[in-house]
Amino acid sequence: CRPTRATIATSPRVSTGLRRCKREGRRLIRQLLYVVFFVQVGLLLIVLPWWPAFWDHNYFAFAWPWLQPLLANNFVRGAVSGLGLVNLFAGFADLALVFASRDRDRATLHNGHS
């Protein structure tokens, strides 16, 4: 993805390839940001329900006192942690797709297909 300036100026095909390379770079960054988001949300949802300083003393428990027994229920905490596991799995699945697509793209470049 790094042609020289002389090659870009003389070959419209290389210029098109450079645009495609930039577009793929942006797509890769966007996919990696999705992965980071899912992994962070997953870790927070796994840890925060079991952290008493956060879970027992939050705004919603104080704003609606009837919600406190529900938030103190271990089954609710487990359900929230389960959602965290789902998010963590989704993040790692997206990361695997990123690596698989990069390997596929790299293989097609080495084989000479475009």
Side-chain angles (χ1 to χ4, degrees), residues 64-111:
W64 298 301
W66 58 269
L67 196 59
Q68 251 176 348
L70 182 67
L71 290 176
N73 189 341
N74 286 336
F75 290 110
V76 173
R77 291 179 182 205
V80 172
S81 292
L83 290 174
L85 286 173
V86 169
N87 274 294
L88 206 58
F89 177 76
F92 288 130
D94 281 348
L95 186 62
L97 288 175
V98 167
F99 285 129
S101 68
R102 287 187 53 108
D103 289 342
R104 186 182 62 237
D105 292 345
R106 190 172 291 146
T108 56
L109 286 175
H110 287 299
N111 291 336

Side-chain angles (χ1 to χ4, degrees), residues 1 9 15 17-18 23 29-30 42 58 80 84-85 88 91 96 110:
C1 283
S15 179
L18 185 62
R23 186 174 41 236
I29 290 172
R30 188 173 49 240
N58 65 47
V80 172
L85 286 173
L88 206 58
H110 287 299

Side-chain angles (χ1 to χ4, degrees), residues 3-11:
T4 63
R5 288 179 189 250
T7 312
I8 292 172
T10 59
S11 174

Side-chain angles (χ1 to χ4, degrees), residues 26-92:
R26 285 189 215 119
R27 183 178 56 107
L28 176 65
I29 290 172
R30 188 173 49 240
Q31 286 175 328
L32 290 176
L33 285 175
Y34 283 137
V35 168
V36 168
F37 173 75
F38 278 119
V39 169
Q40 284 183 346
V41 168
L43 289 175
L44 285 175
L45 288 175
I46 289 171
V47 172
L48 289 182
W50 305 104
W51 188 11
F54 174 80
W55 193 257
D56 295 337
H57 306 288
N58 65 47
Y59 169 78
F60 298 107
F62 292 127
W64 298 301
W66 58 269
L67 196 59
Q68 251 176 348
L70 182 67
L71 290 176
N73 189 341
N74 286 336
F75 290 110
V76 173
R77 291 179 182 205
V80 172
S81 292
L83 290 174
L85 286 173
V86 169
N87 274 294
L88 206 58
F89 177 76
F92 288 130

